[in-house]
Each structure stands twice: as C-alpha cells, then as structure tokens.
Amino acid sequence: MATITPTLNNKQPAANGSLPKPETAPAMVVIGAGFSGIYLNIRIPELIRNVDLTTYEMEDGIGGTWWTNRYPGCGCDIPAHSYVYSFEPNPNWSQLYATAPEIQKYLEYVADKYSVDRHIKLRHEVCGLNWDAKKLKWKIKVQNLNTGEIFLDEADIVLGARGGLTKHSWPDVEGLWDFKGKIVHSAEWDEKFDYSNKKIGVVGVGSSAIQIIPNLQKLPGAHLSCFIRSKTWIATPFGESASTKLQMTDTTHSPEERRYFVENKEAYHKFRKTIETEGNTMYDVTLKGSASSIAAQKYFTELMQTRLAKRPELAEFLIPSFPPGCRRLTPGPGFLEALTEDNVNVITTHIEKVLPTGVQLTDGTIVELDVLVCATGFDFGAAPKYDFVGSSGIDLKERYKDYPEAYFGMTVDGFPNYFMMLGANTAVGAGSATKILECQGDYIVKCIRKIQKENIGSMEIKPRAIRDWIRHINGYFKRTVFMGDCKSWYRRNDRIIGIWPGSTCHAIETMRSPRWEDYFYTFADESDDYNILGWLGNGVTDIEKSGGDISWYIEPEHLDLPAFPLPEETEKWRKVPFTY
C-alpha cells in the first residue's frame, strides 16, 4: 500500500515537487514480550513505516505469563487450538489443553518466524515513566538487569503489554514472613526444590491452586493441607461440547493425528472452527437467570456431587449458591478427586496467623507445615509499582486507587500517547481471549498510524469517554451472573473490572472502527503558520519515487468484490457483525 511522505517539518506543502523524508522516525516503546507484546511486534512493522520500535522485557525469555508461571500442572484450561494468533494456527499441539512450556514454545516459534527478536531487549526492566509536556514525549527509566545500569530512553508512544495479571498477591495474614519453612507463590514457583516427603499447605482455591493440588498430591510422601475458604464451581473442561461434536475420546493428539492436521489444512480449519464456535456459544451462560445458566448450575452441581462422593461433606461446603461464572469457572481435572485422597486434608477454618513452623487457625488449631504454597492470585489491572506520571502530574497508581479504568481496556485520561493491551475489562466471559487481544492491537496500530500520518504531538482519551464507558459497563453487568454473591479476581466491590461487557463478537465489532472524536489532540506546533494538513505532502506517494507498483489497487488481493445482483448479499460482509 502506498504511503504519503510528508514535507520536511510539515510546515506547508512543498512547491518544488521534491519529496524529502522526515528527519526522524517516531519512537515507540513496547513494555513486555508476552502474547500481547509479540503481536504488536508483528503488526507494527507490517502496517506502519518509518518507526523506531523497541521492546523492553524484564525476564530472561519471551512469553509473559507462560514464561514466568512454572508451577506443577500450569497450562491453559481452554482448548489450545483456540489459544493462538488467528494468522498462526498450530496443528502440532500435543494435547487439547496445552501446558505452559508448550505454549511458551509456540510463542517462541511465532516470534522467531516473524523476526520479533530484532526489536526485543531481554532483561531490561522499565522502572519509571514520565510525560514531558513540553517535548510531547515519554521519558522512560530503564534498568539493564545484566549490568545494573539505569539509563533514560525517550518515546513518542508507549505501549503497555504487561498483561492484567502481573502483580501477584500474597495472603493478608499475620506472621506470613515469620514462617521458617519453604514459602512459595504460584507465580514464583521454585522448580529446584523437592516437594516430596513434605507437609505442604496450599492457600487458595482459584485456577492455580486447582491445577497445583492434584499434582502435589501425587508426590511420594507428600501430605497436603488445603486451606479453602470460598465456595467455587468446578466445571467440565472448556471445549467439552466441541470435543463431543468432534467425537474426541482422548485429549492427547497422537503423532498420526497431528500429521493429519498438518497435511489436511481444510480438515484442520473445520476442527478449529468447531472449537471456536462452541466457545462463543457459551455467552448465554453469563446472563443471569438464562436457561443456559440455570442448566449449567444443575449440571455442575450433579457433577461435583458425583466426584466428591467419597467426601459428601466437601460437596456440601464447596458447591456455591451463586451461579456458575460469578467466580471464574475452572475445569480442574483431578482436583475434586485429589481432595478425597487419604494424604489430603481440606481445612475450611480460617487461618489466624502464620507461625515459624506452620499456621494457627481461628479455632486455635495448629497445623504443622514444611512448605506453604500461596496460590492467591494477582491484583488484576494494578498500576506498575514504579513512578508512572501523566500529563496532569498524577501517578497511575493514584488514578487507579479505587478502580482500574481504561477506555475499551486500552487508554486512560491524563496519559497521552499511552495505549495498553489487556487492560481493565478486556478478559472474556465466554469466547476467544486471543481474538480480543488481536482486536486491541489492531485498534492501537490504527491510532499509531493516525498519530504518525497527521503529525499529532499527543492523543489523549477524553474524560467524558471514560465516564460513559464506565456507565455502560456498570449498567451492562447488572443483568449478568458476574454480579452474584461471590468474590472474584475480576470484581472489586460493586464493579466488574476484568470482564468485557459483552460477547467476543461484540468486542470485535466495538473495536473495528475507532471513534476519533473521543480523543483530544495536540500538535507539536500550534502556531497559525502550521498547516495541520501538511501531511498531504507534494501530491505523490513513496511508491512512485521508489519504483513500486503504481497500479496495485487492481490486484485481486486488494479488491472487495460485491455480490450481484444484491451487493448486501456479499458473503464476506454477511459473516461479520454490524452496529446500526
């Protein structure tokens, strides 16, 4: 696609027909090299020209959560064939529900295929962000973790790809750090430690604990004390209905099956299509009082009672009265069965304090422990711990002190030229998590192109837009199961802070076309002499000067062919949602 080259300094269109290049390329910094950061490092070079792109990643490798989380049983509890980039399906998954190492290897493969590593600086931690209102740039403090050196960088645009689950939460209990045994958080698992022949306490009953417990229970000589305070639904595996339709009897993909997928692309596409479609049909379960929600509650109740038949008192305690989905549904293969084993003790009495050799419960009971595992999750959407000061002099931590808020989960008033991936209210209640991630990335790329093309100094979301987005969120969730009588990581007090207010299809349509009127714009030069349409340049484009294809627009890949005799029947557009 042709691009217009602006005239030098963008003061006025040139009159001499020359076509000078801009003096400098806009500098962009991406923070994080997980699923989101990798996506940005593919799409930005693909769709934007003449940019200076750097990505800072504090870890030793790429993959984000799939690099850092290494606890036993860590993996994706949705079908891996749906947990991919849309342009890079993976017929070689070894099983339907991929482990963390296999997902990390997939991300490594994608990054290598698309030359992402050329932009990434590993073991470089961003430790400060300040907006310079005079220069209209972000000043970025970065530490090289190999050398300890701290240096300053500067960027026109900063893209946060840290993810929503980066700051893990320790339990708020007296004496936690007085414990003299081994203490470990699920997000900082010590793979070198031998957990066998130990008395292990596990605190929590979220997704991590549900994956950890059945794996620790199988270790020789291990005895588990599981401290569970909350009721929770344990579901059938996500994608079970798709597996039934596909007549899958085993979640492991044999070498023959994988080879078949590789060699038969159409058959593999149909396989993926079934999984993707079934995931999106689960949306109705999230609606309060819907037939699907009521049926799911009945089915999961019977399922849990059956799996806990050896310990019916556990079923009585664990099965909630709130609807499925109020807390995140977790399949947890083997979890309930592990709770019934002889080497597992489920403790529902609250912990009063941690002692050097164990814990003391509120009823005075002391439980001796060698290891304390805190599977207590994350502070979702938390602002970075470092100074992050925007245009009004307010730190993002102060802005987020009550609730994390971001317009479409991407941008915050008072923080110009800053866009984030997977911010507040971007997780999915049902459907594809990675497709929403891609839609956010595509939206951000459109914003970058606008800033670059039109020589915009700063682009900042209007407070009114944030306000009305929050009003919409709060109104929407009143009719969903997410506001039931429960506690969850995606809820804070009376507000849902984690989930997108609608279906995956709704999110795709919402982010397809940015509402440019929801933003404030500042130009680097606000004088009367400045021509805001100076980007129109000299009337010609780069391809005309470089010897490129100057009639690209009639090539088949650039054509949108309407159906006839009725254009509205065009198949491509009948398949996508429309807002009207």
Side-chain angles (χ1 to χ4, degrees):
M1 184 67 71
T3 58
I4 296 171
T5 304
T7 53
L8 191 63
N9 297 324
N10 198 34
K11 287 292 185 181
Q12 292 288 345
N16 60 6
S18 62
L19 202 65
K21 296 290 183 185
E23 291 179 320
T24 58
M28 272 178 270
V29 164
V30 177
I31 304 173
F35 236 111
S36 299
I38 292 169
Y39 186 78
L40 290 170
N41 274 274
I42 294 171
R43 292 301 191 198
I44 290 173
E46 178 194 13
L47 299 170
I48 306 291
R49 297 292 177 266
N50 191 41
V51 294
D52 177 9
L53 177 62
T54 303
T55 296
Y56 293 119
E57 168 55 62
M58 65 182 290
E59 299 295 338
D60 295 339
I62 66 171
T65 188
W66 302 112
W67 173 271
T68 57
N69 283 273
R70 303 183 181 195
Y71 61 80
C74 182
C76 189
D77 56 16
I78 64 172
H81 302 279
S82 178
Y83 196 69
V84 291
Y85 298 113
S86 60
F87 56 87
E88 197 61 50
N90 181 20
N92 280 307
W93 290 117
S94 66
Q95 52 191 324
L96 188 61
Y97 302 98
T99 63
E102 191 170 10
I103 297 170
Q104 194 275 329
K105 288 298 181 186
Y106 164 78
L107 292 172
E108 215 167 57
Y109 163 79
V110 173
D112 181 64
K113 179 175 178 177
Y114 294 98
S115 307
V116 167
D117 60 345
R118 61 189 162 145
H119 304 296
I120 296 176
K121 295 183 182 295
L122 296 175
R123 292 190 55 76
H124 280 69
E125 182 178 8
V126 171
C127 47
L129 281 165
N130 284 271
W131 177 253
D132 186 327
K134 290 184 178 179
K135 298 179 69 175
L136 300 178
K137 292 180 183 292
W138 283 102
K139 292 184 175 179
I140 309 164
K141 186 186 294 183
V142 184
Q143 183 174 24
N144 182 329
L145 299 180
N146 291 317
T147 65
E149 173 199 7
I150 294 177
F151 61 91
L152 291 178
D153 196 359
E154 205 171 65
D156 298 284
I157 301 168
V158 172
L159 308 175
R162 300 168 59 248
L165 302 175
T166 54
K167 180 184 177 183
H168 52 271
S169 300
W170 291 94
D172 183 15
V173 58
E174 179 187 346
L176 180 64
W177 303 109
D178 295 335
F179 185 62
K180 300 303 182 184
K182 176 71 173 179
I183 185 167
V184 61
H185 194 283
S186 56
E188 291 184 336
W189 196 260
D190 186 348
E191 296 177 280
K192 296 179 181 178
F193 184 80
D194 183 5
Y195 296 85
S196 58
N197 300 303
K198 303 290 193 303
K199 298 189 290 289
I200 305 172
V202 182
V203 181
V205 70
S207 299
S208 299
I210 288 169
Q211 291 181 331
I212 289 170
I213 287 170
N215 284 275
L216 292 182
Q217 181 271 321
K218 297 172 186 174
L219 293 178
H223 184 278
L224 271 63
S225 296
C226 300
F227 300 97
I228 298 175
R229 300 189 307 175
S230 305
K231 298 176 181 291
T232 192
W233 288 108
I234 302 299
T236 51
F238 298 135
E240 185 183 58
S241 59
S243 298
T244 301
K245 285 190 175 183
L246 294 165
Q247 299 181 329
M248 292 181 64
T249 56
D250 190 354
T251 57
T252 300
H253 296 311
S254 67
E256 294 75 21
E257 188 175 18
R258 283 180 271 166
R259 187 162 51 250
Y260 175 78
F261 284 154
V262 170
E263 295 172 354
N264 297 271
K265 289 182 169 52
E266 186 175 340
Y268 181 58
H269 178 76
K270 289 181 178 178
F271 175 85
R272 288 181 60 219
K273 181 81 170 175
T274 300
I275 291 172
E276 202 76 16
T277 300
E278 288 299 301
N280 285 331
T281 60
M282 294 300 294
Y283 171 73
D284 282 351
V285 175
T286 69
L287 301 178
K288 182 172 62 178
S290 68
S292 296
S293 175
I294 294 168
Q297 185 157 347
K298 181 176 184 297
Y299 179 56
F300 294 150
T301 298
E302 294 170 355
L303 176 78
M304 292 180 68
Q305 288 172 337
T306 300
R307 292 184 176 177
L308 291 170
K310 287 170 59 177
R311 299 278 301 276
E313 73 280 7
L314 284 182
E316 183 70 23
F317 174 78
L318 280 174
I319 295 174
S321 58
F322 54 77
C326 185
R327 283 173 60 99
R328 186 183 185 275
L329 273 176
T330 306
F335 168 68
L336 294 176
E337 292 80 359
L339 297 185
T340 68
E341 295 296 328
D342 293 338
N343 65 332
V344 176
N345 185 24
V346 178
I347 299 171
T348 59
T349 306
H350 290 199
I351 296 173
E352 182 173 294
K353 61 182 176 180
V354 178
L355 307 172
T357 58
V359 300
Q360 180 177 316
L361 308 180
T362 53
D363 63 3
T365 302
I366 294 176
V367 182
E368 298 287 338
L369 298 171
D370 302 310
V371 181
L372 184 59
V373 175
C374 299
T376 43
F378 298 84
D379 181 3
F380 176 78
K385 61 184 178 182
Y386 51 76
D387 290 344
F388 189 170
V389 181
S391 58
S392 58
I394 295 175
D395 194 291
L396 189 63
K397 290 185 287 295
E398 176 67 18
R399 177 68 177 78
Y400 274 14
K401 67 179 180 180
D402 296 322
Y403 301 97
E405 297 177 341
Y407 175 81
F408 296 170
M410 286 183 282
T411 186
V412 185
D413 55 312
F415 294 82
N417 292 12
Y418 174 73
F419 302 90
M420 72 185 93
M421 301 277 280
L422 298 181
N425 293 103
T426 53
V428 289
S432 172
T434 52
K435 186 57 192 174
I436 286 187
L437 176 154
E438 289 188 8
C439 288
Q440 284 196 304
D442 296 345
Y443 181 106
I444 290 169
V445 167
K446 291 172 186 174
C447 292
I448 294 170
R449 176 156 164 74
K450 182 176 180 66
I451 289 170
Q452 182 197 42
K453 177 180 176 180
E454 300 179 25
N455 284 280
I456 292 169
S458 71
M459 177 177 176
E460 180 182 340
I461 195 67
K462 295 177 180 177
R464 167 70 185 267
I466 290 270
R467 187 198 73 184
D468 287 355
W469 168 241
I470 299 303
R471 287 174 62 190
H472 171 77
I473 288 170
N474 292 342
Y476 169 83
F477 282 111
K478 289 178 181 178
R479 61 190 184 91
T480 69
V481 300
F482 303 112
M483 292 300 292
D485 186 17
C486 71
K487 292 183 179 180
S488 71
W489 64 261
Y490 44 69
R491 178 175 174 178
R492 185 177 298 176
N493 301 325
D494 59 344
R495 185 187 292 186
I496 300 299
I497 60 172
I499 303 292
W500 179 268
S503 66
T504 297
C505 295
H506 175 268
I508 293 170
E509 167 63 5
T510 299
M511 290 184 270
R512 181 158 58 132
S513 300
R515 277 176 48 92
W516 301 123
E517 62 271 30
D518 286 345
Y519 291 87
F520 290 125
Y521 304 95
T522 302
F523 293 92
D525 186 341
E526 294 284 357
S527 69
D528 291 339
D529 292 337
Y530 183 79
N531 188 338
I532 63 172
L533 297 182
W535 58 267
L536 288 169
N538 299 302
V540 292
T541 63
D542 61 336
I543 59 173
E544 292 163 271
K545 292 294 182 180
S546 65
D549 182 357
I550 58 175
S551 60
W552 83 93
Y553 47 83
I554 68 167
E555 294 298 329
E557 64 267 27
H558 293 293
L559 298 180
D560 277 325
L561 300 175
F564 57 88
L566 300 175
E568 61 268 29
E569 297 297 324
T570 304
E571 184 178 7
K572 173 183 176 181
W573 299 114
R574 281 175 58 84
K575 288 183 176 180
V576 301
F578 275 84
T579 301
Y580 56 89

